[in-house]
Amino acid sequence: MNKSEPHIISIQSTVSTGYVGNNSASFAIQLHGINCVAIPTILLSSHTDKPVYYGEAVSQELFEKLAKGVLEIDTAKQTKYAVSGYLKSQDIIDSTAHLITELKRQNNITYIYDPVFGDTRTDGLYIPKEQADYSKDRLLPLSDILTPNHFELEYITGVSITNEKELLEAVNTNEQLRDKQIVLTTAEMTENEEHRVEVILVSNGQLKHFYAENIPVEVVGTGDLFTGTLSAQLTLGRTLEDAIQISMNFLSKALKYVHSHQLKEMNAMAILQAQDVLEVVYE
């Protein structure tokens, strides 16, 4: 194994067809020339928005065998960032916590925690409340960077957030959040009068705003694509601020393709053709 090759460990769902979870995040990571070490948390025939889908969470035994194998080939030594996404089983949440703890011990990796609890599109949680609360209790304390959507941050803090003052107060008064870097995706603030797509970075008691064009399309997997791109940009040495804007631009171009081709969901070409956004940045 070439020790100069960067890796990202991505702990997410895997589907047989479609672009959600690791199907989306791994593709984005690989487009950066980075190796994605994909560890599945659940195996499904398709994403759960489909009228029919089958599959199940991976067993804790299988997950831990995969994690053990990854650790024993020194992958941690080549990894600066690990990402977790959709986690529905408490056993897998426990095993993920153990893996992240070991990765931090071995190589002091940065852990990006994407809660993936639910969103306003589905009117709330799309995993059981017990699992969401367990994930919050076990994984949030280990995280360095969070990428919740608006609903998920409200769920974590337990308060309604409608404006910037409420956002700062919700984070600064929360013992688990105040010292972390929070990338609030799909922020829904009253100050955003132009209704652009907004991401807000909350860090050290300060807010930084990032914007992109609002593409009139709604598809699954956008959060996974954003977080995968963010982790890849950070691995390449970008600042968190630059990584956020680049990831937004990348996602925006992919969604423009989806919209212009009247697609019902993301596909490989939508993601692939957005790569020139990354190439321009590298020049």
Side-chain angles (χ1 to χ4, degrees):
M1 186 180 287
N2 186 343
K3 294 195 181 222
S4 67
E5 291 182 351
H7 289 66
I8 292 172
I9 295 175
S10 184
I11 306 163
Q12 304 200 51
S13 62
T14 296
V15 294
S16 297
T17 180
Y19 288 86
V20 298
N22 259 333
N23 292 50
S24 178
S26 292
F27 194 7
I29 290 167
Q30 290 164 344
L31 286 178
H32 288 77
I34 298 169
N35 295 313
C36 182
V37 181
I39 301 180
T41 60
I42 190 169
L43 301 172
L44 296 173
S45 56
S46 67
H47 61 74
T48 57
D49 272 19
K50 292 287 189 183
V52 176
Y53 63 91
Y54 302 97
E56 59 191 40
V58 301
S59 69
Q60 187 174 29
E61 180 183 10
L62 174 58
F63 184 96
E64 292 184 350
K65 284 180 178 178
L66 297 175
K68 179 179 169 66
V70 165
L71 290 170
E72 289 186 359
I73 57 173
D74 293 332
T75 303
K77 294 178 181 177
Q78 301 163 276
T79 301
K80 293 182 179 179
Y81 291 88
V83 179
S84 72
Y86 187 82
L87 299 160
K88 192 175 179 181
S89 158
Q90 290 191 13
D91 286 343
I92 298 304
I93 292 169
D94 277 335
S95 295
T96 297
H98 294 150
L99 174 58
I100 295 300
T101 300
E102 185 61 20
L103 288 167
K104 283 179 172 287
R105 186 190 70 79
Q106 286 194 21
N107 203 40
N108 196 30
I109 60 99
T110 297
Y111 173 37
I112 303 174
Y113 173 52
D114 188 357
V116 195
F117 295 161
D119 58 35
T120 54
R121 180 180 62 86
T122 58
D123 297 321
L125 293 171
Y126 43 61
I127 65 172
K129 183 179 185 301
E130 294 76 16
Q131 272 71 32
D133 291 343
Y134 197 71
S135 175
K136 181 176 68 171
D137 292 342
R138 292 285 281 124
L139 297 176
L140 177 58
L142 295 171
S143 66
D144 303 289
I145 300 171
L146 283 76
T147 59
N149 61 34
H150 197 104
F151 168 82
E152 289 160 347
L153 186 59
E154 287 187 330
Y155 187 86
I156 288 170
T157 60
V159 299
S160 174
I161 300 170
T162 62
N163 56 51
E164 295 176 9
K165 180 181 177 181
E166 291 175 350
L167 172 58
L168 270 177
E169 185 176 353
V171 172
N172 291 340
T173 58
N174 188 297
E175 292 184 4
Q176 288 191 313
L177 295 180
R178 64 167 66 115
D179 296 326
K180 300 184 185 300
Q181 293 181 301
I182 301 168
V183 180
L184 174 59
T185 64
T186 61
E188 301 168 13
M189 299 291 147
T190 55
E191 290 88 350
N192 184 10
E193 296 179 354
E194 297 181 10
H195 302 291
R196 291 179 291 174
V197 174
E198 181 178 24
V199 171
I200 300 177
L201 171 62
V202 188
S203 179
N204 297 319
Q206 301 293 320
L207 302 182
K208 293 186 179 180
H209 301 263
F210 305 85
Y211 298 97
E213 182 181 350
N214 197 339
I215 312 299
V217 64
E218 192 172 272
V219 294
V220 298
T222 54
D224 307 320
L225 186 63
F226 175 84
T227 303
T229 307
L230 184 77
S231 66
Q233 288 290 320
L234 291 170
T235 295
L236 292 176
R238 308 290 179 195
T239 65
L240 183 54
E241 291 86 349
D242 286 346
I244 290 170
Q245 190 62 65
I246 294 166
S247 300
M248 291 181 73
N249 295 343
F250 181 73
L251 179 58
S252 180
K253 184 159 187 186
L255 291 177
K256 283 182 181 179
Y257 183 94
V258 171
H259 182 250
S260 65
H261 288 76
Q262 299 181 326
L263 303 177
K264 293 183 179 179
E265 55 188 88
M266 200 90 66
N267 67 8
M269 186 53 72
I271 300 172
L272 186 62
Q273 60 80 41
Q275 187 181 15
D276 65 347
V277 171
L278 308 177
E279 292 172 350
V280 168
V281 172
Y282 298 155
E283 293 176 355

